[in-house]
Amino acid sequence: MTNRQPLVAANWKMNGSLASIRLLLDGILKGIQSETKPEVVVCPPYIYIDEVARNLDNTQVLLGAQNVSQHEAGAYTGEIAAGMLKDYKCVYVIVGHSERRALYCETDAMVADKFARVVESGLKPILCVGETLNEREADETEEVIARQLDAVIERAGVQGFANAVIAYEPVWAIGTGRTATPEQAQEVHAFIRLRLARHDEAIADGLRILYGGSVKADNANELFNMADIDGGLIGGASLNADDFLSICRAAI
Ligand code: 13P
């Protein structure tokens, strides 16, 4: 059985200002000193990546981006290339977040292209998958997750997952305060691992699968204790340093 290092990632989404991001980062860095167990990643809005990157030197916190273009370079106004993120020492890139899929019409094929671009660039994708409430109620959860995963496996190959992370984020749990129960989350995490194992057991065994969706300081522990939950992708609670640090401490 592989010993997977837990990972806790903060997705700050489109929140904060230069001043508040400085304060938040400072609070996290001061509190994180002794917490060596989980890998900790912060994903600021693009415009603050430079500021955050400069403050992460000689710390154990890693930098991630919230999105990336599927293209290498060129006439794509408003987009950011993976190569540019590397200039700022980004390590991780979130791809296929449900907000990108729903609000910016990112299809499974686009998400797969972005994933492949991130892998080619030597960065590590955090691939988000998850079903809507309607899909869950129609008993389509596994079908949806399988479709989202298979699109990426077809495009990038199972080898593309060797350094990747998957985040299971049920859409109905994001920002709603309605968390999946540990059992509900575990069921989907196990399904995801099994789906990858059909292609490569070692990659599936080493793959870190994060849970995201209303993770808070008081529910993180029971979620992270489940066999196939290897940490979390945290939205709202990552905007408060103390709350985020508590969640990091729960991931051991
Ligand atoms: P919340 O933690 O605010 O529910 O957001 C989860 C999320 O979307 C992280 O990417």
Side-chain angles (χ1 to χ4, degrees):
M1 176 83 187
T2 307
N3 225 349
R4 295 183 291 267
Q5 186 191 12
L7 191 161
V8 179
N11 178 7
W12 291 339
K13 307 193 180 182
M14 197 179 76
N15 290 298
S17 61
L18 183 56
S20 74
I21 294 259
R22 278 182 177 147
L23 270 177
L24 175 58
L25 186 63
D26 191 52
I28 292 172
L29 291 176
K30 281 195 177 123
I32 210 96
Q33 308 291 340
S34 54
E35 276 131 33
T36 50
K37 285 270 165 57
E39 198 170 21
V40 177
V41 179
V42 292
C43 305
Y46 276 145
I47 193 88
Y48 303 127
I49 278 183
D50 181 29
E51 167 72 18
V52 171
R54 279 185 278 115
N55 284 286
L56 293 187
D57 278 344
N58 304 316
T59 75
Q60 63 186 81
V61 177
L62 299 172
L63 184 59
Q66 298 176 15
N67 184 29
V68 70
S69 169
Q70 66 269 48
H71 303 290
E72 192 175 354
Y76 301 104
T77 301
E79 292 290 286
I80 302 283
M84 298 170 184
L85 296 175
K86 280 184 83 174
D87 280 343
Y88 289 90
K89 299 183 207 145
C90 268
V91 177
Y92 287 95
V93 184
I94 298 171
V95 295
H97 192 281
S98 66
E99 285 149 19
R100 304 280 334 159
R101 292 179 191 258
L103 304 174
Y104 300 96
C105 306
E106 289 192 8
T107 61
D108 289 338
M110 281 167 70
V111 172
D113 283 347
K114 288 182 178 208
F115 183 101
R117 176 70 57 201
V118 170
V119 171
E120 276 163 31
S121 310
L123 294 163
K124 298 178 182 181
I126 300 176
L127 170 68
C128 298
V129 296
E131 81 289 358
T132 63
L133 187 57
N134 279 346
E135 289 163 341
R136 173 161 283 265
E137 285 174 348
D139 212 14
E140 291 169 3
T141 299
E142 292 191 350
E143 195 183 311
V144 170
I145 304 289
R147 194 198 70 224
Q148 292 172 338
L149 280 179
D150 291 353
V152 180
I153 297 170
E154 267 170 41
R155 176 70 179 79
V158 70
Q159 286 302 327
F161 286 82
N163 287 310
V165 174
I166 292 180
Y168 168 55
E169 298 206 310
V171 177
W172 48 272
I174 296 177
T176 58
R178 186 176 163 188
T179 322
T181 64
E183 293 74 22
Q184 278 175 324
Q186 165 61 27
E187 205 180 335
V188 179
H189 282 231
F191 174 79
I192 292 170
R193 201 176 302 287
L194 206 62
R195 194 91 188 166
L196 268 293
R198 285 168 161 200
H199 299 268
D200 191 309
E201 279 192 27
I203 287 179
D205 195 32
L207 180 74
R208 287 173 300 174
I209 307 176
L210 314 182
Y211 169 78
S214 298
V215 178
K216 308 283 175 217
D218 60 6
N219 62 22
N221 208 308
E222 52 174 11
L223 285 160
F224 297 167
N225 271 338
M226 303 307 281
D228 288 291
I229 302 184
D230 306 306
L233 180 56
I234 320 300
S238 72
L239 295 169
N240 176 294
D242 288 340
D243 289 348
F244 183 65
L245 288 164
S246 296
I247 294 170
C248 292
R249 277 191 291 270
I252 44 168

